[in-house]
Amino acid sequence: MLDTLDNLERTHTCGELRGSHVGQQVILMGWVAKKRDFGPLIFVDLRDREGITQIVFELGSHTEIVHDSVMEDREEVFEGDALVFTGEVIDKAYCLKSEYVIAVEGTVVNRDTAAINSSLPTGTIEVRAKKLLVLNEAKVPPFQLEVTGSSNLADESTRLKYRYLDLRRPELQRNIRMRAKAVGAIREYFDKRGFIEIETPILLKSTPEGARDFVVPSRIHQGKFFALPQSPQLLKQLTMISGFDKYYQIARCFRDEDLRADRQPEFTQLDMEMSFVNREQVYREMEGMFNHVLRKAGDIELPDEWPRMTHLQAMELYGTDKPDLRFGMRHVDLTEVAGRIDFPPFAERGHIVKCIVLKGSEIPGVHELSRKSLDNLQEIAKRFGAGALANIRIGFEAASVFDQWPDPKSDIPEEKHGVVKSSLMNAIGFAQVYRLINASGAGPGDVVLIVAGKKSAVTSSLRALRNEVARRENLIDRSRYECLIVTEFPMFELDEEKGTYVAAHHPFTSPMDEDLELFKQAIENEADHHLLGQVRAKAYDAVINGYECAGGSIRIHQKEIQDLNFKALGMPREVARARFGFFLDALEYGTPPHGGFAAGIERTCMILCGTENIRDVMAFPKTASAQDLMMDAPGEVDTGQLEELGIAVEARE
């Protein structure tokens, strides 16, 4: 028989009680996390969203002779300081199981010194129970909720099917609370800065650019469709045209794209826009917002002014536009030196040669890498497009050789060869290997990993090697937070399959002032169309610990430039008109210069919570295949609904 609360009210949460509460009568409510039965003593860990409190049920020596008729409506008596339970209450305590929902009334007491649990904020006290109400029973959960370490977790698909249970885990409770705290800090920051929060519609017109739209059929206008927003991009620009000057929104967005660990088909982003601004003003708002949120939600301090790096510099030094600066191993260009060596992979026309250096001071004994380890690294390089991976391993004895031959003109004597080992030794000789070492900046105890080939393959393979070595050798300091603003992104990217240029950011991004003439030249002269690849945009990203946390740009605010941009993308005037006519019209009514950025709430929370899986910071996420296992969605729709919408489903072979 389950009990009801009647007029019983919770006085404290399960994470609230401390030594200062000793002697107080309290009422706690929550879930049974654990029960330990020691005969006359029953210990229950009671859990709610705030934490855990230990409850003690103690069987008194006279329990057997206490009768309900003596107790009348009460369930307990006191003999001195000892609490004596009736049979009914102690039976309830014995019957408690994991995840039962209960209410407990009792007295806060100090734990014995030997029983103090320093890992719990409530670990110095316990509640000696006087009354127990079982509010609801529970089936045995399909997986254990009280676990430590990711290796002990149940399979993710099982946890997502029973997400409402998975969310009871303290780790996810903390993550979701952290998310709420971060969103609150975002609103606090922008409200104080004079921004206006404006909601934009969820049902929009489909304007297929970038990722695929999720489309929504209209019942009233059969054969026509709404689209869910990939972002509020055009709408926030329209708010600038409307004169609101400073806008922000916590916006729900939808993209029908292939998923990764840090992506979902529906996600939340901070969206902001400002009028009459330049890039530096937007940078300051990005820095200020992230600094405020990370300090407020995670007690994380970032510099007032973040380092800046152009997109070109980031790609040259790290092979990525979102480098993780918590560890080194920058890419070093050896093309000039290697090009003078008579070795086909180095000298082939159109090839570049780059390397990363594994420092012996950071990875002790790295110069003694085994053949198996080197082969494994070579496989990684090949997987990302490299033809081969060359290596140079430098012994500590090489210091004397380097001192003696700082710029060798001929081969070093044979007896000195053993201090340096390289897969290139037989092909190019010691002197040339030494020249490569010298150009790489490596020294005694280091290892040089070299890749030659087309730029895309060299960049991708060295990026993968850098990340793999950092992960494998524990070079990433998880307590550090390194931030960066990457600027001057390319305005266009070449779609090699179609042979056409696409917008690298989105088609409303303004070109750099210095590149405006180049931009016009590339559009007006067909022979110069390839110059689009050289046009830089007023686009920028905020990067923290290797994650792109925000991206934005200064927008095009003049209709003639917007028309040119659509032309550059190969969009006929009539197509641009059909898709964006409302926006092109708006540009003709006095559009101010404006710009802004969008920041991923989930990615920011991943950093705050120290997880690498976006699903860990979302209450009800989808799987990697865009399914909701809990609700079994997507699912079939009733035939009647489809008929109302004028839709028929055809099976694909």
Side-chain angles (χ1 to χ4, degrees):
M1 183 83 179
L2 302 181
D3 294 311
T4 59
L5 285 176
D6 293 329
N7 295 321
L8 201 63
E9 295 183 7
R10 180 167 61 171
T11 62
H12 298 79
T13 69
C14 294
E16 188 176 350
L17 299 177
R18 300 291 188 272
S20 59
H21 295 94
V22 168
Q24 292 185 21
Q25 302 297 304
V26 298
I27 297 173
L28 304 181
M29 300 179 189
W31 287 264
V32 174
K34 287 182 182 178
K35 187 187 81 169
R36 300 177 297 283
D37 186 347
F38 295 99
L41 288 175
I42 298 173
F43 295 93
V44 168
D45 287 349
L46 190 63
R47 181 193 70 237
D48 65 11
R49 76 175 199 180
E50 299 294 340
I52 290 176
T53 296
Q54 179 169 280
I55 312 297
V56 183
F57 297 91
E58 184 174 0
L59 181 61
S61 58
H62 295 88
T63 299
E64 298 302 323
I65 62 172
V66 175
H67 300 288
D68 289 343
S69 58
V70 176
M71 297 291 295
E72 297 179 341
D73 292 333
R74 298 187 61 185
E75 292 183 315
E76 71 285 321
V77 293
F78 284 96
E79 292 192 355
D81 291 330
L83 177 65
V84 181
F85 282 110
T86 64
E88 180 184 356
V89 175
I90 198 66
D91 285 347
K92 284 183 182 179
Y94 280 126
C95 292
L96 291 179
K97 294 180 181 178
S98 177
E99 300 309 308
Y100 272 35
V101 186
I102 65 173
V104 173
E105 182 178 357
T107 305
V108 181
V109 298
N110 284 314
R111 292 198 194 193
D112 292 339
T113 303
I116 289 175
N117 185 347
S118 58
S119 64
L120 287 178
T122 60
T124 63
I125 58 90
E126 59 194 16
V127 173
R128 185 170 295 167
K130 294 164 54 180
K131 182 180 288 187
L132 168 64
L133 296 179
V134 178
L135 302 173
N136 214 340
E137 298 176 352
K139 293 168 63 176
V140 177
F143 53 87
Q144 189 178 353
L145 303 184
E146 300 296 320
V147 297
T148 56
S150 58
S151 60
N152 297 320
L153 287 176
D155 178 77
E156 188 179 42
S157 61
T158 302
R159 289 186 285 113
L160 289 176
K161 181 175 177 60
Y162 297 94
R163 185 63 168 181
Y164 46 86
L165 295 179
D166 196 32
L167 284 171
R168 292 183 190 174
R169 289 194 294 116
E171 179 185 358
L172 291 188
Q173 289 270 319
R174 286 192 298 271
N175 290 356
I176 300 303
R177 287 163 61 88
M178 178 73 81
R179 179 189 175 115
K181 197 172 182 180
V183 170
I186 288 171
R187 285 198 163 96
E188 179 183 64
Y189 176 83
F190 283 108
D191 289 344
K192 286 183 178 179
R193 299 284 293 175
F195 285 75
I196 301 171
E197 184 171 9
I198 301 174
E199 282 192 348
T200 55
I202 292 294
L203 295 177
L204 303 174
K205 179 179 181 178
S206 179
T207 55
E209 293 293 331
R212 299 180 188 89
D213 286 332
F214 280 101
V215 294
V216 181
S218 171
R219 178 185 61 81
I220 297 173
H221 305 282
Q222 288 196 3
K224 295 188 177 182
F225 298 82
F226 294 105
L228 303 181
Q230 295 186 30
S231 81
Q233 180 60 45
L234 291 180
L235 290 162
K236 70 178 178 180
Q237 290 189 245
L238 289 169
T239 64
M240 297 299 102
I241 298 173
S242 302
F244 280 101
D245 193 63
K246 287 183 173 183
Y247 141 98
Y248 85 97
Q249 178 182 190
I250 306 298
R252 199 70 172 163
C253 302
F254 307 84
R255 293 180 187 174
D256 188 6
E257 60 184 351
D258 296 332
L259 305 185
R260 298 199 296 262
D262 62 346
R263 290 195 179 178
Q264 282 276 296
E266 54 180 314
F267 58 95
T268 308
Q269 70 181 33
L270 158 71
D271 209 52
M272 71 82 75
E273 199 79 6
M274 306 165 66
S275 292
F276 310 110
V277 292
N278 57 35
R279 285 176 292 154
E280 279 296 332
Q281 288 173 283
V282 182
Y283 298 164
R284 289 198 290 271
E285 294 298 343
M286 281 202 301
E287 293 164 339
M289 186 276 294
F290 278 113
N291 288 3
H292 177 78
V293 171
L294 267 65
R295 182 184 303 116
K296 191 94 174 183
D299 199 24
I300 296 166
E301 291 293 333
L302 297 177
D304 291 338
E305 183 173 328
W306 295 15
R308 311 276 201 267
M309 185 180 294
T310 67
H311 178 270
L312 179 61
Q313 291 170 328
M315 295 302 295
E316 288 294 323
L317 294 175
Y318 299 100
T320 176
D321 55 18
K322 42 183 179 291
D324 190 338
L325 302 184
R326 291 175 295 175
F327 56 96
M329 292 186 290
R330 289 181 169 188
H331 297 189
V332 180
D333 196 336
L334 303 177
T335 304
E336 185 178 348
V337 173
R340 298 197 296 266
I341 298 174
D342 185 17
F343 184 55
F346 291 173
E348 187 171 334
R349 185 178 178 84
H351 276 197
I352 67 168
V353 184
K354 299 186 82 169
C355 74
I356 58 173
V357 177
L358 282 55
K359 304 296 292 182
S361 58
E362 297 174 353
I363 312 172
V366 69
H367 67 287
E368 297 175 341
L369 271 176
S370 67
R371 171 56 57 187
K372 182 178 179 181
S373 295
L374 290 169
D375 288 346
N376 180 258
L377 292 175
Q378 175 139 237
E379 285 304 311
I380 293 171
K382 287 182 175 180
R383 197 183 312 148
F384 284 85
L389 176 67
N391 67 79
I392 304 173
R393 290 159 288 163
I394 310 166
F396 282 102
E397 308 92 330
S400 61
V401 177
F402 288 178
D403 291 341
Q404 191 172 355
W405 285 278
D407 185 20
K409 302 296 182 183
S410 60
D411 282 353
I412 291 174
E414 188 173 340
E415 65 270 17
K416 299 290 187 181
H417 286 195
V419 300
V420 175
K421 298 177 181 179
S422 174
S423 57
L424 296 170
M425 197 71 74
N426 292 334
I428 65 176
F430 193 98
Q432 302 293 7
V433 168
Y434 177 80
R435 288 189 176 94
L436 292 174
I437 293 172
N438 199 41
S440 74
D446 297 345
V447 170
V448 185
L449 300 178
I450 304 173
V451 177
K454 292 185 177 180
K455 187 173 184 177
S456 59
V458 171
T459 298
S460 298
S461 55
L462 281 182
R463 177 178 66 236
L465 286 169
R466 178 177 182 266
N467 290 335
E468 174 62 19
V469 170
R471 183 196 62 78
R472 186 184 298 181
E473 301 296 337
N474 295 318
L475 299 182
I476 305 173
D477 183 351
R478 304 290 177 182
S479 66
R480 281 177 59 191
Y481 295 87
E482 294 290 342
C483 53
L484 177 71
I485 293 179
V486 181
T487 67
E488 299 180 18
F489 275 71
M491 190 157 174
F492 303 98
E493 293 175 344
L494 179 64
D495 184 330
E496 295 185 359
E497 288 186 9
K498 297 179 180 178
T500 58
Y501 283 93
V502 297
H505 193 58
H506 55 58
F508 313 104
T509 297
S510 180
M512 294 281 290
D513 295 339
E514 305 93 307
D515 293 352
L516 186 56
E517 290 305 314
L518 180 67
F519 172 59
K520 292 178 179 178
Q521 177 186 342
I523 297 169
E524 292 167 358
N525 302 312
E526 188 174 340
D528 294 331
H529 196 60
H530 66 282
L531 295 177
L532 286 175
Q534 299 178 26
V535 178
R536 297 167 299 161
K538 294 180 180 178
Y540 36 80
D541 280 354
V543 178
I544 303 176
N545 290 356
Y547 285 101
E548 173 203 331
C549 293
S553 67
I554 300 298
R555 325 301 185 185
I556 296 171
H557 68 281
Q558 297 164 312
K559 183 178 180 295
E560 58 270 26
I561 302 297
Q562 187 63 68
D563 287 337
L564 282 174
N565 204 24
F566 286 147
K567 186 177 179 181
L569 296 169
M571 188 183 300
R573 185 181 297 272
E574 59 274 15
V575 174
R577 188 76 210 168
R579 292 180 180 176
F580 305 108
F582 67 97
F583 181 67
L584 293 172
D585 288 344
L587 288 175
E588 296 186 287
Y589 287 91
T591 301
H594 58 283
F597 68 88
I601 300 294
E602 286 86 8
R603 288 190 187 175
T604 303
C605 290
M606 286 169 63
I607 292 168
L608 283 166
C609 298
T611 179
E612 296 180 355
N613 190 332
I614 196 170
R615 293 184 285 278
D616 288 344
V617 295
M618 302 178 75
F620 298 100
K622 306 292 187 291
T623 66
S625 58
Q627 291 178 294
D628 185 328
L629 299 181
M630 181 183 68
M631 299 183 71
D632 195 22
E636 295 180 354
V637 176
D638 183 84
T639 306
Q641 288 179 275
L642 293 177
E643 289 176 353
E644 279 190 319
L645 295 168
I647 293 176
V649 177
E650 293 184 0
R652 284 186 177 181
E653 293 185 1

